């Protein structure tokens, strides 16, 4: 939903934008482009200089930025969006006018054979955003029992057949053939999840999503972030969160409602258009929520 994100972020004429999930830099580039167009075409409006403070947990993002120089208005930091106040302080800013969190996977991550995010290429079942911290998914499976695995797949992936899948994973481990690769995990999901009438969803989609969320502690980080995000916004600043999972959306919705300093601008989450879904099927589950920090005297 790039158009909606750019519209909500730019209509307040921001000076400092935090792109908390930089990825390939798509949102940052679009915001800079919109900023430049508005500054050039609306001389009657005061468009001040714009700086973007970008963060990403994936070291590959920083490595790409070193080989392909970024726009000089972008300062990129390696770390989770939970580290936003540290990045802002390092860049010399007291607060942000807009914070953008796109909680989906980037195309580059899906294309990386060594990370295990895609079903279309085999490799180690890793699923970490930062390969240099934490443990890969195949080790996570080895460290948890059948109930814990099934509960995680059901809770984080909303997979009805989580018990079957967990039972197969443990059976392989007991037979000295623990799951280590993407293809092995996909094979288990194919055998455990009956073929549905809706062929758009791969039988391994929900399980891989659940393991990714568990390995990266995504919901814990999001919860802590949403409890603090109002502190990181300047008065009148906006927080925009694009989620792809019902649990993520619930965390964001509840945090917006419970924070007295935030005014919810999207009473219901915005959804992608049919045209966008047709162009990008992965956007079908996207939900965008936006809130604005009230002025200090409000």
């Amino acid at each position: 939903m790039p158009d909606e994100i750019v519209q909500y972020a730019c209509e307040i004429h921001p000076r400092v934008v935090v792109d908390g999930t930089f990825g390939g830099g798509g949102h940052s580039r679009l915001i800079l482009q919109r900023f430049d167009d508005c500054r050039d075409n609306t001389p009657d409006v005061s468009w001040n200089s714009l700086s973007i403070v970008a963060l990403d947990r994936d070291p590959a993002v920083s490595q790409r930025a070193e080989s392909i120089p970024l726009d000089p208005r972008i300062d990129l930091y390696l770390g989770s969006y939970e580290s936003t106040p540290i990045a802002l302080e390092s860049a010399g800013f007291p607060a942000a006018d807009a914070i953008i969190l796109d909680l989906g996977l980037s195309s580059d991550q899906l294309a990386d054979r060594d990370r295990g995010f895609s079903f279309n290429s085999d490799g180690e079942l890793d699923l970490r955003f930062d390969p240099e911290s934490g443990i890969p998914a195949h080790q996570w499976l080895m460290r948890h029992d059948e109930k814990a695995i099934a509960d995680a797949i059901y809770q984080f992936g909303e997979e009805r057949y989580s018990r079957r899948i967990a039972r197969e994973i443990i059976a392989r481990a007991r037979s000295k053939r623990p799951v280590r690769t993407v293809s092995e995990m996909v094979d288990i999901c194919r055998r455990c999840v009956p073929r549905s009438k809706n062929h758009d969803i791969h039988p391994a989609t929900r399980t891989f999503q659940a393991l990714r969320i568990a390995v990266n502690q995504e919901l814990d980080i999001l919860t802590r972030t949403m409890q603090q995000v109002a502190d990181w916004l300047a008065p009148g600043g906006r927080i925009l969160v694009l989620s792809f999972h019902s649990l993520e959306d619930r965390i964001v919705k509840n945090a917006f409602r419970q924070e007295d300093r935030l005014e919810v601008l999207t009473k219901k989450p915005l959804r992608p258009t049919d045209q966008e879904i047709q162009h990008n099927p992965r956007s079908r589950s996207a939900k965008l929520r936006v809130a604005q920090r009230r002025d200090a005297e409000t």
Side-chain angles (χ1 to χ4, degrees):
M1 303 177 67
D3 293 340
E4 293 85 348
I5 288 176
V6 171
Q7 176 63 32
Y8 271 97
C10 289
E11 66 183 7
I12 59 172
H13 303 178
R15 298 186 183 186
V16 180
V17 174
V18 170
D19 187 344
T21 46
F22 186 70
H27 288 129
S28 290
R29 285 193 295 271
L30 287 173
I31 288 172
L32 288 171
Q33 181 180 340
R34 173 69 69 86
F35 178 86
D36 291 339
D37 291 344
C38 291
R39 182 184 57 191
D40 295 341
N41 297 327
T42 54
D44 56 319
V45 176
S46 176
W47 287 86
N48 298 284
S49 60
L50 173 64
S51 296
I52 292 184
V53 177
L55 298 95
D56 204 287
R57 296 172 68 178
D58 191 341
V61 173
S62 299
Q63 293 167 7
R64 284 196 301 271
E66 291 175 359
S67 60
I68 305 174
L70 297 174
D71 186 297
R73 292 171 289 182
I74 300 176
D75 287 318
L76 179 59
Y77 297 86
L78 179 62
S80 164
Y81 52 75
E82 188 178 20
S83 300
T84 290
I86 299 174
L88 283 170
E89 182 180 7
S90 179
F93 301 116
D97 299 308
I99 298 175
I100 301 168
L101 304 180
D102 179 349
L103 305 180
L105 284 172
S106 72
S107 299
D108 292 317
Q109 288 169 328
L110 287 169
D112 190 339
R113 292 174 57 92
D114 297 328
R115 309 288 282 281
F117 290 114
S118 173
F119 317 135
N120 297 322
S121 59
D122 198 14
E124 185 179 88
L125 186 65
D126 192 314
L127 299 178
R128 288 174 296 174
F129 291 139
D130 180 359
E132 299 175 4
S133 67
I135 60 172
H138 66 84
Q139 289 186 20
W140 186 92
L141 292 173
M142 288 292 293
R143 296 186 184 187
H144 291 79
D145 61 19
E146 181 177 327
K147 183 180 184 303
I149 294 171
D151 288 348
I153 294 174
Y154 182 78
Q155 181 182 5
F156 300 151
E158 299 177 316
E159 173 55 72
R160 294 170 54 195
Y161 301 97
S162 61
R163 304 295 170 194
R164 293 186 189 178
I165 295 169
R167 192 158 50 243
E168 284 290 319
I169 291 170
I170 295 300
R172 282 187 60 108
R174 287 172 177 166
S175 64
K176 308 301 181 183
R177 297 181 299 113
V179 174
R180 290 192 60 88
T181 68
V182 171
S183 61
E184 290 169 348
M185 191 70 249
V186 168
D187 180 64
I188 288 176
C189 293
R190 286 189 186 280
R191 288 188 284 108
C192 293
V193 179
R195 187 176 178 84
S196 66
K197 296 180 180 179
N198 182 4
H199 302 318
D200 293 338
I201 300 178
H202 191 286
T205 296
R206 296 185 178 93
T207 296
F208 272 66
Q209 173 182 270
L211 294 178
R212 190 202 78 212
I213 288 173
V215 166
N216 293 291
Q217 302 180 349
E218 294 177 45
L219 298 183
D220 292 338
I221 291 174
L222 179 62
T223 298
R224 292 194 297 266
T225 295
M226 297 311 300
Q227 290 172 345
Q228 304 173 65
V229 73
D231 296 331
W232 310 340
L233 287 169
R238 291 181 176 180
I239 169 67
L240 302 84
V241 185
L242 186 64
S243 65
F244 294 81
H245 188 287
S246 60
L247 292 178
E248 293 172 339
D249 180 61
R250 190 176 307 148
I251 290 170
V252 176
K253 177 180 67 175
N254 291 338
F256 281 2
R257 289 177 174 177
Q258 294 166 6
E259 176 54 74
D260 293 337
R261 291 173 293 174
L262 293 179
E263 176 186 357
V264 178
L265 303 184
T266 51
K267 302 303 180 183
K268 293 184 178 180
L270 303 180
R271 303 298 302 271
T273 63
D274 292 340
Q275 182 178 3
E276 180 174 357
I277 293 174
Q278 185 176 3
H279 177 70
N280 177 18
R282 282 189 289 147
S283 70
R284 63 180 176 269
S285 58
K287 293 182 179 179
L288 175 63
R289 293 186 185 270
V290 185
Q292 181 165 320
R293 177 164 173 173
R294 305 178 193 276
D295 293 337
E297 63 272 10
T298 300

